[in-house]
Amino acid sequence: MRRTQSLAMAARRAVGIVAVVVLVPALLAAAPPPAGEPEQHDIPFASRYAADLHGGIVRTGNSVVTCDEALDEYRVPGTATCADARKGIGRGILNNNYQMKYVNTDPGATGPGGVPIRSASEAALRLPSGAKRIEYARLYWGATRGMDTLNGPQVLGLAQVRSVALKIPGEGFYRTVTADSDVGYMKGEMEYGYQATADVTAIVRAAGAGSYTVANLNAVVMPYAWGSWTLVVAYENDREPLRHLHLWDGYRTVKVDSPPAVLTLDGLGVPAERPTGAKLGYIAYDGDRTLGGEHAEVRSTTGVATPLSGPDNPAGDLMNSTADGMSRTPADVNTFGYDADEFDIHDAVSPRDTGLTLTFSTLDDGFQIGAVYTAVDRK
């Protein structure tokens, strides 16, 4: 993040972009941080849900922030157009280099209390054939909480980021979802971030598969901004193998020139024989496409350290603003700071392993980790 930030700041000053920034959440009363509030509040990772059942874990979600094509003339010189950046094409296609705006797939609508919908995106929850019951569902959302500006830091209060509006399949109205846990937050070189989360099991169990919309996810929207939501769902399906499902969450910041972030996760549940299937997924924020330098490795209790990578997440650009394998509206290739990635780890775990150690590090691109989940075949 650091090299590109310096380039972007210099370029914006050169073309006068700072003067035309529209700080959208001025309507939300962004202000200097409260006196005495620490700049960073990491939350240790802990078990959120675990079960042995025939079934699995799926996720869906989307970004609520994208580049602003109407202000494309103010992008950093030499970078791709906003249209190409959304497609994942070109040079310098990260949020640092563009004027940003909210996504809004429901313009003109109103949310709870008659509040206008100012940000909204959709994603479909898809369950395999034979899925008969949703056992657990949790919603995560995170975004840019604030930014250092020429007038000093402008930061949303924690009360302003603790809730979102949710529309479920088959309903035409929004309901409020409020965080039921501590909100994690951080400060980077010039931007502030956060993650909040809530149990939505009863809502999603009743609604089932279909299109979900998350709206009015609050962010400070200007260059460097990101914002996204993820729904993680555990389901029962008698047609699938017996698996140990596990979801951990917290909030860990991975910064440039800082020690790696190490997550120790207990409760992996590997059987006495090597499993035929084992999946790991995570939710991350502010990973920059094309900037690169991020690295992650997984090590089970008795296994060896194994780097995480895949066709859509190369080892040199792991946090690359991808959310593949999900049906989203809009379906931009480049999510501008949202990663919801999954990996096959069955070769990385050993019989009777009881835990995982995940190590995240970076050379150029800071990011945050909000949740990790696994699904390990038991037989």
Side-chain angles (χ1 to χ4, degrees):
M1 184 178 297
R2 296 175 60 197
R3 295 177 188 170
T4 303
Q5 284 181 340
S6 299
L7 170 65
M9 289 175 68
R12 289 206 304 275
R13 289 173 180 144
V15 300
I17 193 168
V18 172
V20 300
V21 166
V22 178
L23 183 61
V24 173
L27 302 173
L28 304 174
E37 180 182 281
E39 288 187 342
Q40 184 157 314
H41 177 51
D42 277 358
I43 299 173
F45 268 65
S47 177
R48 180 67 73 175
Y49 168 81
D52 287 331
L53 54 83
H54 291 270
I57 291 183
V58 293
R59 90 295 192 227
T60 195
N62 211 344
S63 176
V64 297
V65 173
T66 189
C67 60
D68 190 342
E69 69 281 4
L71 297 175
D72 214 14
E73 63 183 297
Y74 298 109
R75 71 182 187 275
V76 169
T79 58
T81 65
C82 173
D84 280 346
R86 290 178 183 172
K87 298 173 185 175
I89 300 170
R91 178 177 179 268
I93 52 174
L94 52 149
N95 53 4
N96 303 23
N97 294 335
Y98 297 85
Q99 289 290 327
M100 305 297 287
K101 70 173 185 177
Y102 279 134
V103 171
N104 192 349
T105 59
D106 205 0
T110 56
V115 175
I117 297 299
R118 60 185 169 269
S119 71
S121 64
E122 304 170 27
L125 173 63
R126 297 183 295 192
L127 297 173
S129 175
K132 65 180 185 179
R133 177 179 167 85
I134 289 173
E135 293 292 329
Y136 188 77
R138 193 157 195 93
L139 183 65
Y140 297 89
W141 62 96
T144 314
R145 183 185 169 211
M147 200 75 64
D148 286 337
T149 72
L150 296 179
N151 298 319
Q154 297 294 308
V155 179
L156 298 175
L158 291 177
Q160 293 171 282
V161 302
R162 288 188 60 87
S163 64
V164 293
L166 175 67
K167 184 164 65 174
I168 65 176
E171 292 187 350
F173 62 89
Y174 289 91
R175 66 189 72 203
T176 298
V177 174
T178 301
D180 61 10
S181 303
D182 199 8
V183 175
Y185 55 90
M186 56 76 69
K187 182 183 185 300
E189 270 195 293
M190 61 182 294
E191 73 280 16
Y192 300 72
Y194 76 91
Q195 177 184 264
T197 181
D199 185 335
V200 290
T201 303
I203 297 171
V204 178
R205 181 179 291 157
S211 181
Y212 287 76
T213 302
V214 171
N216 288 359
L217 192 167
N218 289 336
V220 169
V221 182
M222 56 193 303
Y224 299 85
W226 70 89
S228 60
W229 59 273
T230 308
L231 179 63
V232 179
V233 174
Y235 64 89
E236 185 179 10
N237 187 343
D238 291 338
R239 300 178 185 177
E240 297 190 24
L242 177 66
R243 294 186 172 111
H244 179 73
L245 310 181
H246 213 127
L247 170 66
W248 302 262
D249 59 29
Y251 190 73
R252 287 296 304 271
T253 305
V254 185
K255 293 185 176 181
V256 178
D257 295 336
S258 295
V262 180
L263 309 183
T264 302
L265 309 175
D266 294 324
L268 183 61
V270 181
E273 297 180 356
R274 183 181 295 275
T276 56
K279 175 178 76 173
L280 177 144
Y282 58 66
I283 301 168
Y285 305 96
D286 197 26
D288 291 321
R289 198 176 188 93
T290 69
L291 186 52
E294 317 92 0
H295 178 78
E297 64 180 29
V298 59
R299 182 169 188 163
S300 64
T301 311
T302 61
V304 298
T306 303
L308 291 179
S309 65
D312 299 314
N313 301 95
D317 193 14
L318 190 68
M319 302 295 176
N320 61 351
S321 296
T322 54
D324 295 327
M326 298 188 289
S327 176
R328 300 178 288 119
T329 303
D332 295 333
V333 173
N334 183 0
T335 62
F336 288 99
Y338 171 45
D339 278 276
D341 304 322
E342 294 186 336
F343 303 89
D344 182 344
I345 61 166
H346 83 276
D347 287 334
V349 299
S350 298
R352 296 188 175 89
D353 278 339
T354 59
L356 280 179
T357 300
L358 274 169
T359 303
F360 295 93
S361 59
T362 186
L363 297 175
D364 296 301
D365 184 13
F367 56 92
Q368 305 104 57
I369 302 292
V372 176
Y373 57 88
T374 56
V376 179
D377 291 1
R378 294 287 292 168
K379 57 170 76 170

